[in-house]
Amino acid sequence: MATDLRLPANKIVRPDKDRFLHEENPFEAMMSRFDRAAELLDLEPGIYKVLRHPEKQITVSIPVQLDNGDVEVFTGHRVIYNTSRGPAKGGIRFDTAVTLEEVKALAAWMTWKCAVVNLPFGGSKGGVLCDPFKLSVSELERLTRRYTAGIIQTLGPDSDVPAPDVNTNERVMAWVMDTYSMHVGHTVTGVVTGKPVEMGGSLGRREATGRGCMLSTREALQHLGMPVAGTTAAIQGFGNVGSVAARLLGFEGVRIIAIGDRSCAIHNSNGVDIERAIEHVRKHRSLEGFDGGDLITNEELLALDVDVLLPAAMENVITSRNAAKVRARIIVEGANGPTTAAADSILEEKGIFVVPDILANAGGVTVSYFEWVQDRAGYFWSEDVVNDRLREIMTKGFRDVIDLSRQHKVNMRTAAYMLAISRVATVHRLRGIYA
Ligand code: NAD
């Protein structure tokens, strides 16, 4: 780790605070952290301006013939935030809450996340404003293919590589890959990650984000001199990230005393039986009706007296309204943006150690990177190799951030942003501005 990331002479950036309209706007949440790190880095104004703007924003109208013969037109976005370090990398979400602002924020987050763990990628994100639960499988397929056709100019293993995100999955990635391949005239597996293993996906990808959360938790406990076995944890969100993290933390001897999802939360001070809970969700699609503990609310889960709180559901769950009630010693952000910028200072005053999202949940994009590498090489790794290399990268990322946080006497989030921004800024300086 270089000792000082600050530039020797240039002016300190003066962030335009007037732009921050309200706490829960994700782009503002991201930008306020970006500004703080940019100030501490003495980032020169030119690069500051470049990094505050996405490279490209595409909005497409997506006509889809519904099963009943009607035609509906959906709106989709793809934002390429930054490609200075390599091809853009970022998921596609199908959701009723998709906005261009949200997609922009998520694309910027991907840029910083890839840089924190030093992957040779930039950041992007895509989203289609729709309610996927109201569409049939064939409608979803037509929507996916037409959206892919709409943004096809940006896609490609060397330019922009999507992955699954909220309400998209392996099957959706298979359609994106097929549509792209049909357009270019040959099979291109490396155009998406998070594909089925049978068609170029990577072993270990499905578990990678939860595994990364487990590794981050282990590092954080070790850093604070706390034993791993016997610590307690509460996990909000019991989908891909939350359930895998719960299982793997359980293997490490952590007692998971609460889990929660959209339907309810369950508390059991002796430890929730995670395998039973996973089986329940597999059968019933939610925790509703699970009898492995007492029912509590999601707000109560966030305020439990535990060693580790792992929000792994959605954005903006720890805000200025409830941050003071959090009693955990460590927060490991499995979700993207679970803590608002206004809550950061409250958590810091309380001495809570936060492993920020751009580090804690980077396991997913790390194994996506492995998938892209394997596709390009046409040579596939065993799951053990994937998991070992994931551990190396997550551990190194965690230690780089810790070093920087000590050096600059800042918290983990600010240090993670400083590390990411300095890496992206360095490449901009080296490449210069094309004109
Ligand atoms: P998922 O859809 O598999 O699971 C989401 C879980 O959150 C579900 O259990 C759902 O019931 C719960 N949830 C939704 N709304 C809730 C609410 N209001 N209160 C409590 N629980 C609620 O999604 P996932 O893939 O596990 O992703 C979870 C988070 O992790 C998201 O923020 C996502 O962006 C982030 N993330 C995921 C990955 C990945 O590889 N899957 C990678 C990085 C970050």
Side-chain angles (χ1 to χ4, degrees):
M1 167 94 325
T3 47
D4 193 351
L5 295 169
R6 292 159 26 120
L7 289 175
N10 282 321
K11 291 260 178 291
I12 293 175
V13 157
R14 282 183 216 295
D16 175 3
K17 297 287 184 212
D18 294 343
R19 267 183 248 174
F20 305 145
L21 300 171
H22 70 85
E23 186 178 354
E24 294 179 11
N25 178 317
F27 192 68
E28 289 160 12
M30 189 277 301
M31 271 305 160
S32 64
R33 275 74 171 257
F34 170 86
D35 278 348
R36 164 114 177 90
E39 264 179 306
L40 289 165
L41 288 167
D42 286 354
L43 195 66
E44 59 270 55
I47 289 188
Y48 171 78
K49 282 187 220 160
V50 170
L51 297 187
R52 244 182 167 281
H53 289 87
E55 278 175 23
K56 196 184 280 182
Q57 305 176 63
I58 304 165
T59 297
V60 287
S61 296
I62 308 162
V64 175
Q65 182 149 40
L66 304 179
D67 292 346
N68 66 7
D70 290 351
V71 172
E72 191 53 80
V73 179
F74 299 91
T75 300
H77 308 285
R78 185 80 183 161
V79 174
I80 312 293
Y81 199 84
N82 190 290
T83 56
S84 59
R85 289 168 46 85
K89 188 86 195 73
I92 295 172
R93 59 173 60 179
F94 289 168
D95 198 49
T96 51
V98 165
T99 62
L100 185 58
E101 282 297 285
E102 182 192 56
V103 177
K104 240 162 71 178
L106 292 161
W109 263 320
M110 285 304 297
T111 308
W112 314 137
K113 194 182 296 184
C114 291
V116 167
V117 284
N118 219 358
L119 307 179
F121 282 140
S124 58
K125 204 81 179 191
V128 178
L129 180 60
C130 66
D131 185 346
F133 299 102
K134 292 199 176 136
L135 296 171
S136 69
V137 172
S138 50
E139 287 167 342
L140 266 180
E141 178 173 351
R142 289 196 287 278
L143 174 84
T144 304
R145 289 187 184 277
R146 186 61 192 251
Y147 169 67
T148 305
I151 61 167
I152 208 148
Q153 306 301 342
T154 82
L155 299 182
D158 291 317
S159 52
D160 182 21
V161 186
D165 193 71
V166 176
N167 299 329
T168 56
N169 55 17
E170 292 183 350
R171 178 189 245 172
V172 173
M173 291 308 110
W175 294 329
V176 174
M177 182 278 216
D178 182 69
T179 305
Y180 181 84
S181 298
M182 287 298 127
H183 274 249
V184 298
H186 58 271
T187 295
V188 185
T189 51
V191 69
V192 289
T193 60
K195 299 177 291 294
V197 170
E198 297 80 356
M199 52 177 281
S202 178
L203 294 171
R205 171 63 185 89
R206 201 175 296 152
E207 299 80 17
T209 308
R211 181 173 291 277
C213 290
M214 177 276 284
L215 294 165
S216 300
T217 306
R218 222 166 60 179
E219 287 292 317
L221 287 165
Q222 272 167 16
H223 170 71
L224 296 174
M226 296 164 71
V228 180
T231 53
T232 54
I235 301 183
Q236 185 195 46
F238 206 66
N240 174 289
V241 180
S243 67
V244 172
R247 171 183 270 162
L248 296 179
L249 284 168
F251 292 161
E252 298 290 311
V254 174
R255 185 154 44 97
I256 317 294
I257 66 163
I259 55 174
D261 71 2
R262 193 182 278 117
S263 67
C264 66
I266 307 285
H267 177 246
N268 183 339
S269 51
N270 295 321
V272 178
D273 183 336
I274 297 301
E275 297 307 321
R276 266 191 63 218
I278 290 174
E279 187 50 27
H280 183 94
V281 171
R282 203 184 56 75
K283 274 198 197 133
H284 306 280
R285 304 188 66 194
S286 82
L287 285 169
E288 196 174 359
F290 178 60
D291 62 1
D294 304 320
L295 266 182
I296 56 170
T297 64
N298 261 288
E299 275 301 307
E300 287 167 336
L301 180 148
L302 295 174
L304 283 174
D305 188 5
V306 280
D307 297 311
V308 179
L309 174 63
L310 206 157
M314 45 187 275
E315 290 150 26
N316 301 328
V317 292
I318 303 173
T319 69
S320 57
R321 289 186 293 283
N322 63 1
K325 295 188 196 144
V326 174
R327 286 188 286 167
R329 175 75 190 87
I330 299 170
I331 296 176
V332 178
E333 295 184 337
N336 283 314
T339 309
T340 65
D344 278 350
S345 50
I346 303 171
L347 299 178
E348 190 158 9
E349 268 167 34
K350 290 175 66 105
I352 298 173
F353 184 86
V354 179
V355 188
D357 46 9
I358 56 171
L359 173 62
N361 69 33
V365 72
T366 301
V367 178
S368 274
Y369 164 56
F370 296 163
E371 180 173 334
W372 177 81
V373 169
Q374 292 171 77
D375 287 340
R376 290 166 73 97
Y379 178 70
F380 290 85
W381 311 347
S382 70
E383 194 162 353
D384 285 346
V385 170
V386 169
N387 290 344
D388 280 352
R389 290 181 177 169
L390 172 63
R391 182 178 38 73
E392 265 172 42
I393 288 188
M394 290 301 296
T395 310
K396 168 102 173 60
F398 189 95
R399 291 177 188 169
D400 284 351
V401 174
I402 281 281
D403 287 348
L404 206 57
S405 82
R406 282 202 183 108
Q407 202 182 313
H408 290 271
K409 301 189 174 39
V410 292
N411 64 28
M412 290 285 282
R413 189 184 316 278
T414 303
Y417 272 80
M418 287 176 76
L419 180 61
I421 293 168
S422 70
R423 283 181 173 154
V424 179
T426 298
V427 175
H428 276 278
R429 282 184 208 113
L430 290 169
R431 289 180 61 159
I433 292 186
Y434 175 77

